[in-house]
Amino acid sequence: MRKVNLQKTKPRSGAVQSVLSAYRYERSQSLKKAKQQADIITSLSIANRTVARKNGESGIEIAHCGASVSLPKLKSKPEMKTEVNTAVSSFEKKEDQNITSQKSPSNTAAKGIPAGNEILTQDAENGVNLIYQIYRISAHAMDLEKFIRQTCTILSSELHIDALLAYLYDDVTDRIRRYHCVGMDMSRKHDEYVFPDALIEKMMRKRRGSDKTQNFIELNQEQMIELFYDYSDIQLFGSAIVFPIFFDETLLGCLAVFLRENEVFAQQTEKIMMAVCAQLSALVQNIRLYNTLTRELEEHKRAEEQLKKVNEELENSAYTDHLTGLWNRRGLIKHVYEQIELMRVQKNSLSFLLLDIDHFKRVNDKYGHQVGDMVLVDFADLLRANSRTTDSITRWGGEEFLILTTTNIGNTAYTYAERLRKLVSIHAFPVIGEMTVSIGVAELREGEDFDSWIKRVDDALYAAKDRDRNNVVICRDEESL
C-alpha cells in the first residue's frame, strides 16, 4: 500500500523568509526599543512546523522538527548578509539530516532528536490502513450483517476499543436497529434492538447546524445509562461517544464507542472514526444497492422461468388433447412437416394409420359419457404402450386416432396396423369389456401435400368400416404393396 508521507516538500523558502523578516525588523528599531520588546517573537507555520524565533539574548533561532540553528545578535549590514547565508546553508543541511533521521526512527532516538512529524505520519498511515482494510472487506462481503460484523472486529482490534455497538437502518422494521455488538452483553431486557430516538433527534439537529465537521455526540455516564439502560453491563463503562453515519442528510446508522472509567478517546482516533463513518456511508449504500439489484435480478429470473413455464403449458394445452394427453389436430399439423423432413433425410417411408373405435356411440348411449371417456383414455394408453418412440399418436377427433409412423421394407404399415387391431380385439376395456377397431392406412407419396394424404387415409378408413369393421384397409393405390 502507498505510504502516506506528510513531508513531500521541504519548507526552505518559508524559513529564509522568516530569517530575513526578523533581521529587517531589528534594523528598523533602536537597541533600546528592541530590548523592551517581548523576549520571543514567534512565526509558526502549522503546515511545515517551522519556527523562527527572535530571542533578546541569543539572537535569531530557527527550529524545524526538532533540528535548530541559532544566529548571533544584530551586526552590520555586510555581516548580517554573511550571517543570513551561513544560517540558511546550515539550516538546509540540518533539515536534510532531520528528514533522513525520520526515515530511521532508531537512529533518531539514539541521537536524542525527537522526530516532529513521526507520530502524526504514523497516525495518518494507521488511519489509511484501517480504511483500506474496511474497503477490502466490502469488496468481498456483500452480506451487510457480515460486513458490519467484520468491520467492528477490525475497529475494536486496531483502535483498542473495549466496547462497540453498530446500528444501521433496517428496511423491514423501518427503524435503526443494532447490527453487531463487541465487548458488551448481547442480551437485552427488551426484544427490540433499536437505537434510542432521543439520540437520533440530537444527531439530526447537530447535522442541520452550521458546524458539520465534528457531529459526533459525547455522553457522560448518566446520559449513557439513561439511553442504553437495557444493556445489563452498561454500568461498567464511564462514558460513550456516538459517531453518526450520514448519507447526504439521511441518517443511515451510527457507531457507539463505550469507554471505561477515566478512559479518554484520543483526538486522532476520533478523526479516524469520523473518516470510517464517512466511508461506511458509501459502502453500506453500495452493498444495499448490490443486494437490491441482485434481488431484482433473481426475481426477474424467477418471473422469466415462470413465464416460460406458463408459455410451455399454454403451448402444450394448445397442441395437446386434455383427456388423453396425446396430440390434437393442431399438434400434429405443427410437427408433421418436421417428420416429413426427417423421413427424407433418413430415406424411410412415412405412413398414416387412422383408427376408429367400432360402434363407440353405443358405449356412450348405454354407459354414459363418463364411461366413454374412460374407454378413450384406456384406448390411448394401449396405443401408447404398443407404439415406437419415433411414432406420433394424435387424437384426431371423437373416437378417431391418427398414428404417424415410419416404415421400411421389413416393417410395413399394414403389418403394424394389423398387430394393433388384434391387440385391441383381445384387450379388456373398463366396464364394457371387449371392443374392436377399424384402421385405414396411407403412405405418403413423393411430392404429396398434407390434405391429399389425409383424404386418402380417411377413404381407407371408410372402406374398412364398409367391410363390417374390425378390418385394416390400405389406400387402393397401395394395395399392391
Side-chain angles (χ1 to χ4, degrees):
M1 189 188 75
R2 180 181 173 186
K3 185 177 180 180
V4 178
N5 190 349
L6 300 182
Q7 288 186 293
K8 285 186 177 180
T9 306
K10 294 187 289 185
R12 295 173 180 173
S13 59
V16 174
Q17 187 64 36
S18 298
V19 175
L20 292 175
S21 298
Y23 267 93
R24 290 193 188 103
Y25 176 78
E26 185 141 355
R27 282 186 58 84
S28 66
Q29 307 294 327
S30 62
L31 289 176
K32 182 178 179 181
K33 190 174 181 179
K35 289 179 180 180
Q36 292 175 351
Q37 290 179 344
D39 289 336
I40 297 175
I41 300 175
T42 304
S43 172
L44 175 63
S45 173
I46 296 176
N48 54 37
R49 299 173 64 85
T50 300
V51 179
R53 295 194 294 269
K54 173 183 177 296
N55 188 285
E57 295 181 359
S58 59
I60 301 297
E61 178 182 299
I62 303 173
H64 179 81
C65 299
S68 62
V69 62
S70 299
L71 297 178
K73 295 184 70 174
L74 181 63
K75 298 183 179 182
S76 62
K77 188 172 182 178
E79 291 174 333
M80 180 193 76
K81 186 175 180 180
T82 302
E83 292 290 349
V84 168
N85 292 335
T86 303
V88 170
S89 298
S90 177
F91 171 78
E92 290 176 346
K93 182 178 179 180
K94 291 193 175 186
E95 183 190 41
D96 290 337
Q97 292 175 352
N98 183 59
I99 293 174
T100 303
S101 67
Q102 287 188 18
K103 295 179 181 179
S104 305
S106 58
N107 295 337
T108 302
K111 294 180 181 179
I113 302 175
N117 276 357
E118 183 179 350
I119 296 176
L120 184 61
T121 305
Q122 189 63 40
D123 287 340
E125 185 174 354
N126 290 341
V128 172
N129 281 332
L130 184 63
I131 292 175
Y132 179 67
Q133 288 184 58
I134 295 173
Y135 170 76
R136 287 190 62 186
I137 293 173
S138 70
H140 300 285
M142 288 296 108
D143 179 80
L144 188 56
E145 295 208 18
K146 182 180 179 181
F147 167 66
I148 293 298
R149 184 168 62 251
Q150 292 177 343
T151 299
C152 290
T153 302
I154 290 176
L155 289 175
S156 62
S157 174
E158 297 293 331
L159 300 181
H160 308 290
I161 296 173
D162 291 329
L164 175 67
L165 291 176
Y167 289 87
L168 283 180
Y169 175 77
D170 183 57
D171 296 331
V172 178
T173 61
D174 195 27
R175 299 290 300 274
I176 295 178
R177 69 169 182 88
R178 191 188 74 190
Y179 265 62
H180 192 59
C181 173
V182 175
M184 293 183 70
D185 187 2
M186 291 287 286
S187 61
R188 293 182 62 176
K189 299 175 185 177
H190 296 82
D191 294 334
E192 291 187 354
Y193 297 89
V194 297
F195 191 67
D197 291 334
L199 274 180
I200 295 177
E201 294 174 2
K202 190 172 183 179
M203 284 189 290
M204 293 304 298
R205 284 198 304 269
K206 199 163 187 178
R207 180 71 173 181
R208 289 190 290 265
S210 57
D211 183 14
K212 297 184 180 181
T213 59
Q214 290 186 344
N215 54 0
F216 57 84
I217 296 175
E218 296 178 284
L219 304 174
N220 57 34
Q221 189 176 43
E222 182 180 351
Q223 293 170 326
M224 179 188 64
I225 293 175
E226 179 183 356
L227 292 169
F228 297 94
Y229 65 92
D230 49 356
Y231 283 94
S232 58
D233 54 353
I234 191 64
Q235 294 184 354
L236 298 177
F237 301 94
S239 60
I241 305 177
V242 182
F243 297 90
I245 303 172
F246 277 101
F247 186 78
D248 292 334
E249 298 302 316
T250 303
L251 181 63
L252 299 182
C254 68
L255 297 177
V257 178
F258 295 85
L259 309 175
R260 301 285 180 180
E261 289 282 355
N262 302 321
E263 189 178 4
V264 179
F265 216 42
Q267 184 178 4
Q268 187 65 23
T269 308
E270 291 176 353
K271 293 180 180 179
I272 292 175
M273 285 296 297
M274 287 190 292
V276 167
C277 289
Q279 185 196 30
L280 285 178
S281 68
L283 295 180
V284 167
Q285 288 294 90
N286 288 343
I287 292 175
R288 281 181 168 163
L289 178 61
Y290 172 84
N291 291 334
T292 300
L293 291 176
T294 301
R295 273 196 312 271
E296 290 178 353
L297 286 173
E298 290 175 352
E299 290 174 0
H300 180 69
K301 185 178 179 181
R302 282 196 297 269
E304 280 188 339
E305 291 174 352
Q306 292 175 356
L307 182 61
K308 183 179 178 181
K309 185 178 179 181
V310 169
N311 286 335
E312 289 175 353
E313 291 175 354
L314 289 174
E315 183 175 359
N316 290 335
S317 176
Y319 299 128
T320 304
D321 177 63
H322 296 290
L323 179 63
T324 62
L326 301 175
W327 281 353
N328 57 20
R329 287 198 180 203
R330 186 180 298 159
L332 174 68
I333 294 171
K334 180 178 184 293
H335 294 91
V336 68
Y337 295 103
E338 297 175 4
Q339 295 289 339
I340 292 173
E341 186 63 29
L342 183 63
M343 178 207 70
R344 289 171 179 168
V345 172
Q346 296 178 348
K347 297 181 179 180
N348 290 329
S349 299
L350 201 62
S351 298
F352 270 147
L353 277 65
L354 185 58
L355 299 84
D356 183 88
I357 300 175
D358 295 331
H359 305 296
F360 184 74
K361 187 176 182 301
R362 297 176 184 175
V363 175
N364 284 332
D365 293 342
K366 183 177 181 179
Y367 299 100
H369 289 281
Q370 187 174 1
V371 173
D373 289 344
M374 292 171 59
V375 171
L376 290 174
V377 171
D378 195 44
F379 183 76
D381 292 340
L382 181 64
L383 295 181
R384 193 184 286 112
N386 291 277
S387 61
R388 295 169 295 181
T389 55
T390 55
D391 296 340
S392 301
I393 308 174
T394 302
R395 185 183 178 193
W396 193 241
E399 66 273 16
E400 290 185 346
F401 292 80
L402 187 66
I403 299 177
L404 177 64
T405 182
T406 56
T407 57
N408 49 45
I409 297 175
N411 182 22
T412 65
Y414 177 82
T415 304
Y416 184 20
E418 185 62 26
R419 181 173 65 85
L420 290 177
R421 185 194 66 78
K422 291 178 180 180
L423 285 172
V424 172
S425 64
I426 63 175
H427 182 74
F429 289 91
V431 181
I432 66 171
E434 296 180 355
M435 69 178 190
T436 60
V437 65
S438 300
I439 305 174
V441 180
E443 183 179 328
L444 179 65
R445 298 170 179 171
E446 185 70 28
E448 186 178 21
D449 61 25
F450 178 78
D451 292 337
S452 174
W453 188 16
I454 284 290
K455 185 178 184 307
R456 289 194 302 112
V457 74
D458 194 49
D459 291 342
L461 175 61
Y462 276 104
K465 287 181 174 292
D466 288 341
R467 296 181 184 179
D468 296 330
R469 295 177 172 82
N470 194 22
N471 274 300
V472 175
V473 173
I474 300 178
C475 183
R476 292 178 181 176
D477 298 338
E478 301 167 13
E479 288 184 355
S480 59
L481 300 175

